[in-house]
Amino acid sequence: MDEERQAFRGGRVGDPSPTSGRAWEGVIRRYRDLLPVNDTTPVVTLNEGGTPLLHAARLSERVGADVFLKIEGANPTGSFKDRGMTLAISKALEEGARAVVCASTGNTSASAAAYAARAGMTCAVLIPEGHIALGKLAQALVHGARVLQVRGNFDAALEIVRRLPDHAPVVVVNSVNPYRIDGQKSGAFEIVDALGDAPDLHCIPVGNAGNITAYWKGYCEYRAAGLATRVPRMLGFQAAGAAPIVDGHVVENPETIATAIRIGNPASWYPATAAASESGGAIAKVTDEEILAAYRLLAVEESVFSEAASAASVAGLLRTPVPAGARVVCVLTGHGLNDPDLAISQVSVPAAVDATFDAVLDALAL
Ligand code: F0G
């Protein structure tokens, strides 16, 4: 097997990756040397990370490039948030915290609730009333978080959350917590480990802008450590109705079908623009129609059920001129099952038939 294929099968020789004979134990143990942990840091993990990097044959053909999908919906709570939450909760525990809090469009709250429960901590979450997908709300509730619906949007909720530590013994686990970014950068490490080097282009949805910041940090650190020879151009995509970075101003009332990125004042605004400009990339916007078209295309042509916000990365790729044969990675940030209502709204309801052989044969029209 040549070196590149060997790398693609799971890390370098000697790495404690799944193919080297040792079980995957989550991102802290896998990337310990590049994370702010020491021997006494408790590791609160659900064995997150180690997600598939799937080659997308039909998408590659469409755009004339070599496209890979980083399937972050395969994380324990169904999104990339687990990469950052394992570190944020571990460090909070190390520092003696008993409670954590976050504002969330859904996935952060699901992840915080799960990891806090694992650590035996109280978890409080603030979510925008009526704008959080059912699968995410269900997770936060079943893991026992104290969930409050705020009559306002994510930005209003985050503003309140940021003030709480001044008034109560609680640690904020939104991506304003630097440990979240440090954990999430492991996604970039895994991509380089799998491909043997950084891709040419990295496409990613942008909401609160923490993830694009984290991936850029990860790629830069891997290059600095001599584990990659280059870094990719970072292409971030906001939803058109929630595109403050692209529009150059705070959006007071962000609106998009992709509720995960329904954010008008991103906390990591500056580092996200720095990632785009330093890498020679850009942050652009995609319409809800483009997002939904990419969402359906991913499901039907690539068999990947991602959530709408995730599809923004592919929607963005589809409208970007790509050098022929370029190696592209699109991050699919969350699982489609997180938002069953949206999924059902995109398809026709199955017909009901009598329970007879003939009725079924007839109706199937095979
Ligand atoms: N995709 C999904 C599925 C998300 O849940 C989020 C953010 C993003 C993309 C954008 O990532 O904020 O780092 O730019 N969700 C947050 C939450 C805001 O509360 O779950 P970002």
Side-chain angles (χ1 to χ4, degrees):
M1 189 187 307
D2 63 45
E3 208 175 285
E4 190 165 311
R5 280 186 56 207
Q6 187 174 1
F8 185 68
R9 284 182 49 143
R12 297 180 169 77
V13 177
D15 280 349
S17 59
T19 49
S20 65
R22 202 171 125 188
W24 182 267
E25 295 179 294
V27 302
I28 294 181
R29 295 202 173 95
R30 174 65 181 81
Y31 295 110
R32 166 173 289 280
D33 295 349
L34 293 162
L35 295 173
V37 290
N38 56 52
D39 290 347
T40 58
T41 308
V43 178
V44 182
T45 181
L46 292 168
N47 289 3
E48 61 295 311
T51 57
L53 187 68
L54 185 68
H55 187 252
R58 292 180 175 132
L59 191 53
S60 295
E61 208 175 297
R62 264 176 198 263
V63 301
D66 211 11
V67 183
F68 293 83
L69 306 171
K70 183 68 171 157
I71 314 288
E72 289 294 277
N75 276 298
T77 74
S79 87
F80 70 95
K81 304 290 180 176
D82 295 343
R83 295 181 181 278
M85 208 55 75
T86 181
L87 191 61
I89 298 287
S90 296
K91 295 300 285 188
L93 191 62
E94 182 180 3
E95 289 155 14
R98 306 290 306 275
V100 295
V101 64
C102 66
S104 182
T105 57
N107 281 322
T108 299
S109 66
S111 186
Y115 283 79
R118 186 94 177 167
M121 287 181 188
T122 299
C123 177
V125 309
L126 267 58
I127 54 173
E129 187 180 33
H131 289 280
I132 155 165
L134 206 59
K136 308 174 188 182
L137 179 59
Q139 289 189 81
L141 292 170
V142 296
H143 289 305
R146 285 183 204 168
V147 180
L148 281 184
Q149 301 201 60
V150 174
R151 292 189 198 98
N153 58 29
F154 169 86
D155 305 291
L158 182 57
E159 215 174 293
I160 296 166
V161 160
R162 292 175 86 148
R163 292 175 54 199
L164 282 173
D166 292 337
H167 302 269
V170 68
V171 170
V172 175
V173 292
N174 279 102
S175 57
V176 294
N177 178 329
Y179 296 128
R180 280 278 313 282
I181 303 288
D182 264 324
Q184 284 173 211
K185 74 189 178 189
S186 61
F189 299 163
E190 287 178 19
I191 289 169
V192 176
D193 288 345
L195 295 177
D197 207 340
D200 300 301
L201 286 180
H202 179 98
C203 300
I204 186 166
V206 173
N208 210 24
N211 213 25
I212 187 172
T213 303
Y215 268 92
W216 179 237
K217 188 167 193 236
Y219 283 123
C220 290
E221 287 185 7
Y222 240 38
R223 181 179 57 177
L227 295 167
T229 67
R230 57 202 179 119
V231 292
R233 275 169 59 205
M234 301 294 290
L235 299 180
F237 298 100
Q238 299 191 298
I245 298 178
V246 183
D247 295 342
H249 58 79
V250 169
V251 176
E252 291 297 337
N253 295 305
E255 272 313 335
T256 168
I257 192 148
T259 53
I261 52 173
R262 186 176 168 272
I263 293 174
N265 188 13
S268 296
W269 188 315
Y270 173 72
T273 53
S277 61
E278 285 167 25
S279 71
I283 297 181
K285 54 185 173 182
V286 286
T287 65
D288 278 5
E289 290 70 33
E290 289 174 300
I291 289 174
L292 287 174
Y295 171 86
R296 287 189 297 261
L297 181 148
L298 280 166
V300 173
E301 295 195 357
E302 301 295 352
S303 304
V304 179
F305 187 21
S306 69
E307 61 179 283
S310 311
S313 61
V314 170
L317 171 64
L318 288 170
R319 57 146 60 191
T320 305
V322 179
R327 204 171 239 195
V328 182
V329 171
C330 293
V331 183
L332 297 182
T333 46
H335 201 293
L337 286 174
N338 287 333
D339 194 349
D341 294 316
L342 176 74
I344 292 294
S345 77
Q346 293 303 300
V347 292
S348 45
V349 179
V353 295
D354 291 337
T356 66
F357 182 82
D358 287 346
V360 169
L361 185 66
D362 202 38
L364 285 177
L366 296 168

